[in-house]
Amino acid sequence: MSDPVETAELVAFTKTVDAKSLSRAAAELRVPRATVSRRLARLEERLGARLLRRTTRSLVLTDIGEVFYRQACIALKAVRLAEQSVRMTDDVVRGDLRVSVPPMMSVSFHAMLCEFASLYPELRVHVHISNQLVDILHGGYDVALRASSQLQPGLIARTLFRDPMIAVAAPAYLAGRGTPRTQRDLRTHRCLLGFARGELPETHWPLASGGKLHVDGAFFSNDIALLCDAAISGLGIALLPRGLVSPHLESGALVQVLAGVLGAEMQIALVYPERAFLPPQVRAFIDAVAAWVPRELVANQHNSQREPSGAVRRAKEAAPRSSKKASRAFSG
């Protein structure tokens, strides 16, 4: 029976794959390059399989190496959780916290993150900002902020708030194209679409009665604030959160169309892997964000109420800075 794989070997392997370089992996691990190379060689010898094809300029995973990499990530995460379970015997929040959040416009969210980090000096906070939906189960993240109606199996969601999605368009666009009355009317209209799961262009919109409707897009973006601006500019019809478009509905820059025909509910939530216990740093972060959301929504409402409802130009300039903070913050 061969010797069991050592954790250091797994770390060297996964870090090398992530860094795509022995030298960069060694630098991140703060060990000599020869040490990383030696651990990789020892790992392949134990397994009796080639995991990486190494040349002078590149590193490429073999087929078996790709399978082993996914399992190694799961194993290392289990080791980290085991360590954290022991450290939960005291009240000190420490270790690593890996968070995925969408791009933010809200200065207050950044301030909340900085305040959170300052409260826990023994905690190393890693914040990944992207509209892409990262793989929480296998990607090494502890928690992610998302807007979605469906969750990946194996995840738990802490719902922060819900926001209905409504179809909107600019009056000038409707004057030129006509106002759609039924779902069939959308065939002659330009649709402004997002990206499903932050990756692929959308091809369907949800029906209020259930089911989906195929739509043809004329403009695509994974930034809902940009889709809102495109609708205001008269580029077409967009399906957006009510909280984002409310100031523009009040100002007259946008009007709702196909009420009762199109629509869904966007769930804004913190999602994290299902597990026997929740690490203290994850719990602390969830509590911090859950406390921030009501303050942000109140501030946004207060700011929007200060804007003159009839001033379209001012609504375009000021309302996005308030309402987009909450909605765009969850566009991933």
Side-chain angles (χ1 to χ4, degrees):
M1 181 177 179
S2 61
D3 295 333
V5 173
E6 296 180 2
T7 302
E9 296 168 358
L10 291 180
V11 171
F13 171 65
T14 56
K15 185 67 70 174
T16 299
V17 173
D18 294 338
K20 299 181 176 62
S21 164
L22 281 172
S23 299
R24 284 196 294 270
E28 293 182 20
L29 293 173
R30 298 182 181 181
V31 298
R33 185 180 185 278
T35 299
V36 175
S37 181
R38 185 167 57 252
R39 290 174 181 174
L40 290 176
R42 192 163 60 234
L43 175 61
E44 290 180 329
E45 183 179 353
R46 292 181 196 275
L47 297 174
R50 178 68 65 186
L51 303 176
L52 286 165
R53 292 191 181 93
R54 298 186 281 275
T55 68
T56 56
R57 294 187 177 182
S58 66
L59 289 169
V60 180
L61 276 172
T62 63
D63 291 342
I64 191 64
E66 187 171 349
V67 174
F68 186 77
Y69 170 75
R70 292 196 296 268
Q71 297 301 321
C73 289
I74 296 174
L76 289 175
K77 189 162 189 175
V79 171
R80 287 197 300 270
L81 291 175
E83 292 176 344
Q84 291 166 0
S85 68
V86 175
R87 293 172 178 172
M88 289 179 66
T89 55
D90 58 32
D91 296 328
V92 179
V93 176
R94 56 167 65 92
D96 291 278
L97 176 68
R98 295 172 174 83
V99 180
S100 175
V101 299
M104 294 288 179
M105 289 184 67
S106 174
V107 174
S108 70
F109 184 85
H110 295 167
M112 182 274 295
L113 283 177
C114 294
E115 180 182 1
F116 173 80
S118 67
L119 285 174
Y120 304 106
E122 295 190 37
L123 181 64
R124 293 182 295 274
V125 182
H126 308 251
V127 181
H128 177 265
I129 300 178
S130 174
N131 273 330
Q132 299 297 319
L133 267 65
V134 300
D135 187 343
I136 299 181
L137 292 176
H138 305 119
Y141 293 95
D142 297 299
V143 61
L145 191 60
R146 284 187 181 166
S148 177
S149 58
Q150 295 181 339
L151 291 178
Q152 178 183 350
L155 297 181
I156 296 176
R158 166 75 179 271
T159 301
L160 302 173
F161 70 93
R162 302 175 187 273
D163 202 4
M165 303 285 288
I166 62 174
V168 294
Y173 170 83
L174 297 175
R177 291 272 187 154
T179 300
R181 305 297 180 186
T182 68
Q183 62 188 60
R184 287 190 174 185
D185 294 342
L186 280 178
R187 296 175 182 176
T188 60
H189 282 270
R190 294 167 57 88
C191 296
L192 314 177
L193 304 177
F195 285 76
R197 295 184 58 82
E199 300 171 354
L200 300 174
E202 287 181 328
T203 57
H204 293 78
W205 272 346
L207 294 171
S209 59
K212 297 180 180 181
L213 174 67
H214 177 77
V215 289
D216 293 320
F219 187 93
F220 299 84
S221 175
N222 61 351
D223 186 338
I224 60 173
L226 176 56
L227 293 177
C228 182
D229 290 339
I232 292 172
S233 298
L235 294 184
I237 299 173
L239 188 66
L240 297 169
R242 181 182 291 277
L244 175 64
V245 301
S246 288
H248 306 302
L249 294 173
E250 294 175 3
S251 71
L254 292 173
V255 295
Q256 183 176 358
V257 297
L258 294 172
V261 177
L262 292 176
E265 187 177 65
M266 181 174 67
Q267 177 183 354
I268 313 302
L270 286 166
V271 297
Y272 49 93
E274 186 174 9
R275 54 179 59 140
F277 64 89
L278 194 62
Q281 63 269 38
V282 177
R283 169 56 62 192
F285 179 77
I286 291 173
D287 291 342
V289 177
W292 166 79
V293 168
R295 297 196 304 267
E296 179 74 355
L297 294 178
V298 170
N300 291 342
Q301 183 179 15
H302 177 70
N303 289 339
S304 63
Q305 289 175 348
R306 294 175 59 185
E307 290 300 323
S309 60
V312 175
R313 179 181 61 81
R314 291 185 182 180
K316 284 187 65 177
E317 293 175 351
R321 288 198 297 270
S322 58
S323 62
K324 284 179 186 178
K325 289 177 183 178
S327 296
R328 189 183 182 187
F330 309 108
S331 60

